[in-house]
Amino acid sequence: MLNLVLFGPPGAGKGTQAEFLVKTFDLKHVSTGDLLRAEIAAATELGIEAKKFMDAGNLVPDSVVIGMIASLFKANPDTKGFIFDGFPRTVAQAEALDQLLNSNNAPISGMLSLEVADEELIGRLLNRGKTSGRSDDADSSIIENRIKNYHIQTSPLKEYYGLQNKLTEVDGMGSIEEIAERLKLGVETL
Ligand code: AMP
């Protein structure tokens, strides 16, 4: 199995690039942000609870996202591999993911980390907010909080996967096609 973590701050281009990697390597795309937004759209109890955190630009509690991932694994026993986008976002989530995957004998193959400067991220997210309909993309203070939370809670995962020799840093600046090509190369050299 090829199990990839597509990593990077909000606005790094993970969603766009995940779509490309899904097609190239025939993987199942797992975006916890998309799963949470689907719960909100369906007005489930989980969605209503998660929305409070998301609207403020904070992370949803680990137990909620880990539970969603565990159910997703059960529902997709025959996939060739997963590409995780926006998950894991904390060390506790990474540990839970390792446990779930190791029990299936299909560990993470590698983490591809998209490197983009903060100033560029804010511009990209505000721009996306004009068309995405996402309230967390429309307000610069919420965007700044998401980036701050990324640095505090999420960026330590680079060390987590680095210590397992699974980290590949990829330049996230340039055209979508250029970045896609760098990612493809990154996967091929894992
Ligand atoms: P995203 O679509 O990945 O930008 O996620 C949008 C929002 O959903 C984030 O700002 C968080 O509030 C929440 N979220 C998505 N994935 C996670 C996760 N793995 N852990 C905690 N919160 C998450």
Side-chain angles (χ1 to χ4, degrees), residues 109-138:
S109 317
M111 170 204 256
L112 298 154
S113 175
L114 286 170
E115 305 295 320
V116 180
D118 284 2
E119 309 77 67
E120 166 82 10
L121 299 173
I122 296 171
R124 283 191 193 179
L125 289 169
L126 283 172
N127 212 18
R128 186 172 79 183
K130 290 179 195 158
T131 52
S132 69
R134 281 180 56 170
S135 55
D136 61 345
D137 282 345

Short mmCIF file of all heavy atoms in Angstrom, two decimals, residues 109-138:
data_model
loop_
_atom_site.label_atom_id
_atom_site.label_comp_id
_atom_site.label_asym_id
_atom_site.label_seq_id
_atom_site.Cartn_x
_atom_site.Cartn_y
_atom_site.Cartn_z
N SER A 109 3.95 5.66 4.07
CA SER A 109 5.11 5.51 3.19
C SER A 109 5.98 6.76 3.25
O SER A 109 7.21 6.66 3.17
CB SER A 109 4.65 5.31 1.74
OG SER A 109 3.57 4.41 1.68
N GLY A 110 5.35 7.92 3.36
CA GLY A 110 6.12 9.15 3.44
C GLY A 110 5.24 10.36 3.63
O GLY A 110 4.03 10.31 3.37
N MET A 111 5.87 11.42 4.13
CA MET A 111 5.19 12.71 4.25
C MET A 111 5.80 13.68 3.26
O MET A 111 7.02 13.84 3.22
CB MET A 111 5.36 13.28 5.65
CG MET A 111 4.88 14.72 5.75
SD MET A 111 5.64 15.62 7.09
CE MET A 111 4.31 15.62 8.27
N LEU A 112 4.94 14.30 2.43
CA LEU A 112 5.41 15.33 1.50
C LEU A 112 4.96 16.67 2.07
O LEU A 112 3.75 16.90 2.23
CB LEU A 112 4.77 15.11 0.12
CG LEU A 112 5.16 13.77 -0.49
CD1 LEU A 112 4.09 13.29 -1.46
CD2 LEU A 112 6.50 13.87 -1.19
N SER A 113 5.92 17.52 2.39
CA SER A 113 5.60 18.77 3.06
C SER A 113 5.74 19.93 2.09
O SER A 113 6.84 20.21 1.61
CB SER A 113 6.53 18.94 4.26
OG SER A 113 6.31 20.20 4.85
N LEU A 114 4.62 20.60 1.81
CA LEU A 114 4.64 21.75 0.89
C LEU A 114 5.11 22.98 1.66
O LEU A 114 4.49 23.37 2.66
CB LEU A 114 3.24 21.99 0.33
CG LEU A 114 2.77 21.00 -0.73
CD1 LEU A 114 1.28 21.20 -1.01
CD2 LEU A 114 3.57 21.18 -2.02
N GLU A 115 6.19 23.58 1.19
CA GLU A 115 6.80 24.72 1.89
C GLU A 115 6.38 26.02 1.21
O GLU A 115 6.73 26.25 0.04
CB GLU A 115 8.33 24.59 1.85
CG GLU A 115 8.85 23.26 2.41
CD GLU A 115 8.56 23.11 3.90
OE1 GLU A 115 8.68 24.12 4.62
OE2 GLU A 115 8.20 22.00 4.33
N VAL A 116 5.63 26.83 1.95
CA VAL A 116 5.16 28.12 1.42
C VAL A 116 5.27 29.17 2.53
O VAL A 116 4.93 28.89 3.69
CB VAL A 116 3.67 28.03 0.96
CG1 VAL A 116 3.19 29.36 0.41
CG2 VAL A 116 3.47 26.94 -0.08
N ALA A 117 5.75 30.37 2.18
CA ALA A 117 5.92 31.43 3.19
C ALA A 117 4.56 31.94 3.68
O ALA A 117 3.60 31.99 2.92
CB ALA A 117 6.71 32.58 2.56
N ASP A 118 4.51 32.33 4.97
CA ASP A 118 3.27 32.79 5.59
C ASP A 118 2.58 33.92 4.81
O ASP A 118 1.37 33.91 4.63
CB ASP A 118 3.53 33.31 7.02
CG ASP A 118 3.74 32.16 8.00
OD1 ASP A 118 3.72 30.99 7.57
OD2 ASP A 118 3.92 32.44 9.20
N GLU A 119 3.37 34.90 4.34
CA GLU A 119 2.78 36.07 3.66
C GLU A 119 2.02 35.61 2.41
O GLU A 119 0.96 36.14 2.09
CB GLU A 119 3.84 37.09 3.22
CG GLU A 119 4.82 37.54 4.30
CD GLU A 119 5.89 36.51 4.57
OE1 GLU A 119 6.71 36.29 3.67
OE2 GLU A 119 5.92 35.92 5.67
N GLU A 120 2.57 34.63 1.73
CA GLU A 120 1.93 34.11 0.52
C GLU A 120 0.61 33.39 0.90
O GLU A 120 -0.39 33.49 0.19
CB GLU A 120 2.91 33.14 -0.17
CG GLU A 120 2.32 32.25 -1.25
CD GLU A 120 2.20 32.93 -2.61
OE1 GLU A 120 2.74 34.04 -2.76
OE2 GLU A 120 1.53 32.34 -3.49
N LEU A 121 0.62 32.67 2.03
CA LEU A 121 -0.56 31.90 2.45
C LEU A 121 -1.76 32.81 2.68
O LEU A 121 -2.88 32.50 2.25
CB LEU A 121 -0.28 31.16 3.77
CG LEU A 121 0.85 30.14 3.73
CD1 LEU A 121 1.12 29.62 5.13
CD2 LEU A 121 0.49 28.99 2.80
N ILE A 122 -1.52 33.94 3.38
CA ILE A 122 -2.63 34.84 3.73
C ILE A 122 -3.29 35.34 2.44
O ILE A 122 -4.52 35.28 2.30
CB ILE A 122 -2.13 36.01 4.61
CG1 ILE A 122 -1.61 35.45 5.94
CG2 ILE A 122 -3.23 37.03 4.85
CD1 ILE A 122 -0.89 36.43 6.84
N GLY A 123 -2.48 35.76 1.46
CA GLY A 123 -3.02 36.23 0.18
C GLY A 123 -3.80 35.14 -0.53
O GLY A 123 -4.91 35.37 -1.02
N ARG A 124 -3.25 33.93 -0.56
CA ARG A 124 -3.93 32.82 -1.25
C ARG A 124 -5.28 32.52 -0.60
O ARG A 124 -6.27 32.28 -1.28
CB ARG A 124 -3.08 31.54 -1.17
CG ARG A 124 -1.90 31.50 -2.11
CD ARG A 124 -1.32 30.10 -2.11
NE ARG A 124 -0.02 30.02 -2.74
CZ ARG A 124 0.69 28.90 -2.83
NH1 ARG A 124 0.21 27.77 -2.34
NH2 ARG A 124 1.86 28.89 -3.41
N LEU A 125 -5.31 32.50 0.75
CA LEU A 125 -6.55 32.13 1.44
C LEU A 125 -7.62 33.20 1.26
O LEU A 125 -8.79 32.89 1.02
CB LEU A 125 -6.28 31.87 2.93
CG LEU A 125 -5.50 30.58 3.20
CD1 LEU A 125 -5.05 30.52 4.66
CD2 LEU A 125 -6.34 29.35 2.89
N LEU A 126 -7.21 34.49 1.35
CA LEU A 126 -8.19 35.57 1.16
C LEU A 126 -8.75 35.50 -0.25
O LEU A 126 -9.96 35.68 -0.46
CB LEU A 126 -7.54 36.93 1.41
CG LEU A 126 -7.32 37.31 2.88
CD1 LEU A 126 -6.49 38.58 3.00
CD2 LEU A 126 -8.67 37.51 3.60
N ASN A 127 -7.91 35.16 -1.19
CA ASN A 127 -8.34 35.02 -2.58
C ASN A 127 -9.32 33.85 -2.72
O ASN A 127 -10.37 33.97 -3.35
CB ASN A 127 -7.08 34.77 -3.43
CG ASN A 127 -7.24 35.37 -4.79
OD1 ASN A 127 -8.11 36.23 -4.99
ND2 ASN A 127 -6.44 34.91 -5.74
N ARG A 128 -8.98 32.72 -2.11
CA ARG A 128 -9.86 31.54 -2.16
C ARG A 128 -11.21 31.86 -1.52
O ARG A 128 -12.25 31.40 -1.98
CB ARG A 128 -9.17 30.37 -1.43
CG ARG A 128 -9.92 29.05 -1.55
CD ARG A 128 -9.12 27.90 -0.99
NE ARG A 128 -9.16 27.84 0.46
CZ ARG A 128 -8.49 26.94 1.20
NH1 ARG A 128 -7.72 26.04 0.60
NH2 ARG A 128 -8.58 26.93 2.50
N GLY A 129 -11.17 32.66 -0.44
CA GLY A 129 -12.40 33.01 0.29
C GLY A 129 -13.42 33.72 -0.58
O GLY A 129 -14.62 33.66 -0.32
N LYS A 130 -12.96 34.38 -1.65
CA LYS A 130 -13.90 35.10 -2.53
C LYS A 130 -14.81 34.14 -3.27
O LYS A 130 -15.91 34.49 -3.66
CB LYS A 130 -13.11 35.93 -3.57
CG LYS A 130 -12.38 37.11 -2.96
CD LYS A 130 -11.62 37.86 -4.06
CE LYS A 130 -10.60 38.80 -3.44
NZ LYS A 130 -9.52 39.13 -4.38
N THR A 131 -14.36 32.90 -3.49
CA THR A 131 -15.17 31.96 -4.26
C THR A 131 -15.51 30.67 -3.51
O THR A 131 -16.43 29.96 -3.88
CB THR A 131 -14.42 31.53 -5.56
OG1 THR A 131 -13.11 31.09 -5.19
CG2 THR A 131 -14.32 32.67 -6.55
N SER A 132 -14.76 30.35 -2.43
CA SER A 132 -14.95 29.03 -1.80
C SER A 132 -16.21 28.95 -0.94
O SER A 132 -16.69 27.86 -0.64
CB SER A 132 -13.74 28.67 -0.92
OG SER A 132 -13.70 29.53 0.22
N GLY A 133 -16.72 30.10 -0.54
CA GLY A 133 -17.87 30.08 0.36
C GLY A 133 -17.47 29.67 1.78
O GLY A 133 -18.33 29.49 2.63
N ARG A 134 -16.18 29.53 2.04
CA ARG A 134 -15.73 29.13 3.38
C ARG A 134 -15.54 30.37 4.24
O ARG A 134 -14.72 31.23 3.93
CB ARG A 134 -14.40 28.37 3.28
CG ARG A 134 -14.58 26.93 2.86
CD ARG A 134 -13.25 26.22 2.77
NE ARG A 134 -12.48 26.26 4.00
CZ ARG A 134 -11.39 25.55 4.21
NH1 ARG A 134 -10.95 24.74 3.27
NH2 ARG A 134 -10.74 25.64 5.34
N SER A 135 -16.30 30.43 5.34
CA SER A 135 -16.21 31.63 6.19
C SER A 135 -14.83 31.75 6.83
O SER A 135 -14.35 32.84 7.11
CB SER A 135 -17.30 31.62 7.25
OG SER A 135 -17.22 30.41 7.98
N ASP A 136 -14.16 30.59 7.03
CA ASP A 136 -12.83 30.66 7.67
C ASP A 136 -11.75 31.15 6.70
O ASP A 136 -10.61 31.37 7.09
CB ASP A 136 -12.43 29.32 8.32
CG ASP A 136 -12.34 28.16 7.32
OD1 ASP A 136 -12.83 28.29 6.18
OD2 ASP A 136 -11.75 27.12 7.70
N ASP A 137 -12.11 31.33 5.42
CA ASP A 137 -11.17 31.91 4.44
C ASP A 137 -11.44 33.39 4.21
O ASP A 137 -10.71 34.04 3.48
CB ASP A 137 -11.32 31.21 3.07
CG ASP A 137 -10.64 29.85 3.03
OD1 ASP A 137 -9.83 29.55 3.92
OD2 ASP A 137 -10.93 29.10 2.09
N ALA A 138 -12.53 33.91 4.79
CA ALA A 138 -12.95 35.26 4.41
C ALA A 138 -12.43 36.33 5.37
O ALA A 138 -12.50 37.50 5.08
CB ALA A 138 -14.47 35.32 4.34
#
